[in-house]
Amino acid sequence: MELQLLFYKGLLGVIGLMLFAAGIVDVRKKQISRVQIILLLLACCAVIPFKKETGIADVAGGLAVGFCAVGVSIATREQIGRGDSIVITALGIALGARKCLLVVFAASFLACIAAIAVLAFRIGGRQTRLPFLPAVFAGYVVCFMI
């Protein structure tokens, strides 16, 4: 049983590192590659057998959160990028509904603060596009600090 927990925590650490790398790419290129998205999705799916505290309903709830993010991406003509929403869907698979919502709320809050700073310090304007994956990574970290 202890080995199962070790694999679970290790996979969550790998997902965190993958989010960190994707955040760096998002800052530099303003997009995330399909290969990174697929690898992150596979890592998140690999977590499912090692989750002991939740069941399929939690995974389905996490998928629902992710699908809502994809819907928002489509409805807003990609104000939140499609890659960002697919990453949120992958995190929903790994974390479940509650933790995924916590990550999304924390990421949205941090992105809002970054947007206010951009406007306040006149670094950019209202049309400035900010990368969202660094905020998702920070939200992921916040999720495990609580």
Side-chain angles (χ1 to χ4, degrees):
M1 192 58 78
E2 197 66 35
L3 189 60
Q4 181 179 2
L5 182 63
L6 184 64
F7 275 126
Y8 178 70
K9 299 257 182 190
L11 282 170
L12 291 178
V14 167
I15 291 169
L17 289 173
M18 293 172 85
L19 276 175
F20 180 74
I24 290 171
V25 170
D26 195 20
V27 167
R28 290 185 178 166
K29 296 183 180 179
K30 302 285 191 245
Q31 65 182 6
I32 180 172
S33 74
R34 288 185 177 134
V35 173
Q36 280 184 306
I37 291 173
I38 291 169
L39 290 175
L40 183 65
L41 187 58
L42 290 173
C44 289
C45 288
V47 168
I48 295 172
F50 299 106
K51 293 174 72 170
K52 64 176 185 172
E53 72 275 355
T54 57
I56 193 73
D58 197 41
V59 172
L63 271 173
V65 171
F67 288 154
C68 287
V70 171
V72 168
S73 174
I74 293 169
T76 61
R77 287 184 235 121
E78 293 200 29
Q79 291 297 315
I80 295 177
R82 185 125 347 122
D84 298 333
S85 60
I86 294 171
V87 167
I88 291 169
T89 304
L91 288 177
I93 292 170
L95 302 177
R98 288 183 183 193
K99 286 184 179 178
C100 184
L101 280 173
L102 177 62
V103 168
V104 171
F105 288 144
S108 298
F109 179 75
L110 293 170
C112 181
I113 292 194
I116 290 170
V118 164
L119 292 173
F121 295 117
R122 300 182 192 268
I123 299 169
R126 290 185 59 195
Q127 300 302 319
T128 303
R129 295 183 61 93
L130 298 175
F132 191 60
L133 282 181
V136 172
F137 169 71
Y140 185 81
V141 171
V142 166
C143 176
F144 289 103
M145 288 175 49
I146 294 177

